[in-house]
Amino acid sequence: MSAPTLRRGLPRIPGGDPWPPEGMHTPPAPPKPAAPAPELPTKQQALRRGLPRIPGGEQWPEIEFADLAIAEEPATAAPEPPAAAAAPVQYTDITLRRGLPRIPGGAPWPEVATAQVESAPGPEDSPVVEAPSPVVEKPAAEKPAEPRRERPAWFAKAIGAGVGLMVLLAVAILAARAVVAGAAADFIARYPGVAPTPDNTPVGLPAWLGWSHFFNFFLMTLIIRTGLQIRGERKPPAYFTSKSGKKVSLTIWFHTSMDLLWLLNGVVFLVLLFATGQWMRIVPTSVDVFPNMASAALQYLAMDWPAENGWIHYNALQQVAYFVTVFVAAPLAAATGFRMSNWWPNAWTFFPVEVARKIHFPTMVYFVLFIVGHVFLVFATGMKKNLGHIFAASPDGGWLGVGLFLVSLLVTAGAVFAAKPLVLAQLARPFGEVTNR
């Protein structure tokens, strides 16, 4: 049987002969395939069907069952020895934690409240009880030591200076008591501590003197406080610009304003002092004031107060102290403060500002020491009597003076507390402009 001739088509190259060439026959038939392998037994298996592959179609796969081939079992091996019977499985009921529902309005999830879990069976033999291990108490955790705060160097120096002054004061008191009782007894008898005054010196303290005393105390407290603030101020809380264009910090403005009121109170005090003759009580008019001043100082140091009656006259030490305060320290404070202010004309060069600063601060220190010493002696030599003289203008020194003194303390403390930048800004705005810069 001859092989069939192939059908010829188009040439492979332009102008060539049709392909394949004439006379080509089909290739010989392939060898006969081997006999098919024997079919293995099958069983039907249900298939898991899912979503359709196309919208609106049937579930995939389209059939529900499929034939699966069953592999032949291998040769039977030697039987293994029977295993020990497995222990029965035990289950324990546990309570499930239920949460929010899966759908709106549904029950909490999961829907069941309990479930069973497999628990391993315990050993049949009695458990072995181990000896308890000794309990070792852990030491309590120690709190970390706080870092030690180092005190500034000046603190130790201040403590040392204070202790030294106390020792010196105690020695001075003991020495003064010995001198008063011995060598200075005749001197004190000759000069008891009260200097003579003119015969027409007025007796008693008028009411205006008490009011002036209160205003002076009130204003001096604010002036000293603001003066210390100015010395330590690095960044002022606000600034005040006057209508003339001069700009200062708000603290300086308040300090200067209190200075003006203090000067006004001083002028009124001096006018009334000379108009009523009260100047003769504080102005020394005899050279005997000096030995009497030394005698009074010696008696004060010995803690043996000199005999006095402030309603009639002052002792020599008080007289000189009041004279220096009114006629020396106050004018120095006013003059140096004026030189340091913006009101000083630039054309006046005869008073350098550096000199004014060197005088102004020691003058403030003098006022502080005077106030401390004055208040101490007022309380130590008869608080009720002295406060009655000063604040109530009363010769017998009733409790009215003590009450007025306490009121003056409350008023002064309230003013110091209220002198905040927010309040000061409201007070300064009618006189100029207050700004943050």
Side-chain angles (χ1 to χ4, degrees), residues 291-384:
N292 280 285
M293 183 176 63
S295 174
L298 190 59
Q299 295 176 65
Y300 275 125
L301 186 58
M303 305 298 289
D304 183 15
W305 314 128
E308 61 181 19
N309 188 349
W311 185 256
I312 299 176
H313 55 72
Y314 299 127
N315 64 51
L317 192 61
Q318 288 176 315
Q319 190 179 38
V320 172
Y322 294 153
F323 175 81
V324 171
T325 301
V326 174
F327 295 101
V328 178
L332 276 178
T336 55
F338 177 52
R339 176 61 186 90
M340 295 164 59
S341 70
N342 288 336
W343 297 332
W344 183 267
N346 295 329
W348 295 1
T349 59
F350 59 88
F351 189 10
V353 67
E354 292 79 10
V355 177
R357 289 195 182 99
K358 292 180 180 179
I359 298 175
H360 194 75
F361 182 73
T363 306
M364 185 204 71
V365 174
Y366 167 80
F367 275 108
V368 173
L369 295 177
F370 172 80
I371 292 173
V372 172
H374 177 61
V375 172
F376 171 76
L377 291 177
V378 166
F379 279 80
T381 59
M383 178 191 71
K384 182 179 176 182

Side-chain angles (χ1 to χ4, degrees), residues 161-183:
V163 173
L165 288 176
M166 294 298 292
V167 172
L168 290 177
L169 181 60
V171 173
I173 292 175
L174 294 176
R177 293 180 71 88
V179 170
V180 168

Side-chain angles (χ1 to χ4, degrees), residues 102-397:
R102 291 296 179 90
I103 57 176
W109 183 265
E111 298 178 355
V112 294
T114 60
Q116 290 185 340
V117 295
E118 181 180 347
S119 60
E124 295 180 357
D125 299 334
S126 59
V128 178
V129 180
E130 297 181 358
S133 58
V135 179
V136 180
E137 296 184 359
K138 295 182 178 180
E142 297 181 357
K143 295 182 179 179
E146 296 183 357
R148 185 177 179 181
R149 297 180 180 177
E150 296 184 359
R151 294 185 176 90
W154 63 263
F155 183 81
K157 295 180 180 178
I159 295 295
V163 173
L165 288 176
M166 294 298 292
V167 172
L168 290 177
L169 181 60
V171 173
I173 292 175
L174 294 176
R177 293 180 71 88
V179 170
V180 168
D186 294 339
F187 175 78
I188 293 176
R190 182 177 179 183
Y191 299 102
V194 178
T197 56
D199 295 336
N200 59 341
T201 301
V203 175
L205 302 176
W208 64 263
L209 191 62
W211 279 102
S212 178
H213 191 277
F214 162 70
F215 287 134
N216 187 71
F217 169 72
F218 176 84
L219 295 172
M220 282 298 298
T221 301
L222 294 176
I223 290 172
I224 293 173
R225 178 178 180 268
T226 53
L228 294 176
Q229 287 179 332
I230 292 172
R231 288 182 63 88
E233 197 171 58
R234 295 295 177 266
K235 183 179 180 182
Y239 294 89
F240 172 80
T241 304
S242 64
K243 295 180 180 179
S244 61
K246 296 183 178 181
K247 185 176 182 180
V248 295
S249 71
L250 189 62
T251 310
I252 294 179
W253 173 84
F254 186 59
H255 180 79
T256 307
S257 301
M258 294 299 100
D259 284 339
L260 289 176
L261 294 177
W262 179 70
L263 289 175
L264 178 61
N265 179 68
V267 171
V268 174
F269 172 80
L270 290 176
V271 171
L272 294 176
L273 189 72
F274 285 97
T276 60
Q278 289 287 331
W279 64 271
M280 289 181 282
R281 293 170 59 92
I282 63 173
V283 176
T285 57
S286 171
V287 294
D288 289 343
V289 70
F290 298 107
N292 280 285
M293 183 176 63
S295 174
L298 190 59
Q299 295 176 65
Y300 275 125
L301 186 58
M303 305 298 289
D304 183 15
W305 314 128
E308 61 181 19
N309 188 349
W311 185 256
I312 299 176
H313 55 72
Y314 299 127
N315 64 51
L317 192 61
Q318 288 176 315
Q319 190 179 38
V320 172
Y322 294 153
F323 175 81
V324 171
T325 301
V326 174
F327 295 101
V328 178
L332 276 178
T336 55
F338 177 52
R339 176 61 186 90
M340 295 164 59
S341 70
N342 288 336
W343 297 332
W344 183 267
N346 295 329
W348 295 1
T349 59
F350 59 88
F351 189 10
V353 67
E354 292 79 10
V355 177
R357 289 195 182 99
K358 292 180 180 179
I359 298 175
H360 194 75
F361 182 73
T363 306
M364 185 204 71
V365 174
Y366 167 80
F367 275 108
V368 173
L369 295 177
F370 172 80
I371 292 173
V372 172
H374 177 61
V375 172
F376 171 76
L377 291 177
V378 166
F379 279 80
T381 59
M383 178 191 71
K384 182 179 176 182
K385 176 191 67 176
N386 293 329
L387 292 179
H389 293 171
I390 298 172
F391 285 92
S394 173
D396 55 358

Side-chain angles (χ1 to χ4, degrees), residues 6-65:
L6 296 178
R7 181 181 178 185
R8 305 174 69 192
L10 296 175
R12 293 290 181 93
I13 58 175
D17 296 330
W19 184 266
E22 185 178 2
M24 182 174 288
H25 303 282
T26 56
K32 186 177 181 180
E39 296 182 359
L40 297 176
T42 60
K43 66 175 182 178
Q44 281 194 340
Q45 175 68 36
L47 300 179
R48 181 181 178 185
R49 306 177 69 191
L51 297 175
R53 292 296 180 89
I54 58 175
E58 297 182 357
Q59 293 179 321
W60 181 265
E62 299 177 353
I63 57 176
E64 297 183 4
F65 299 93

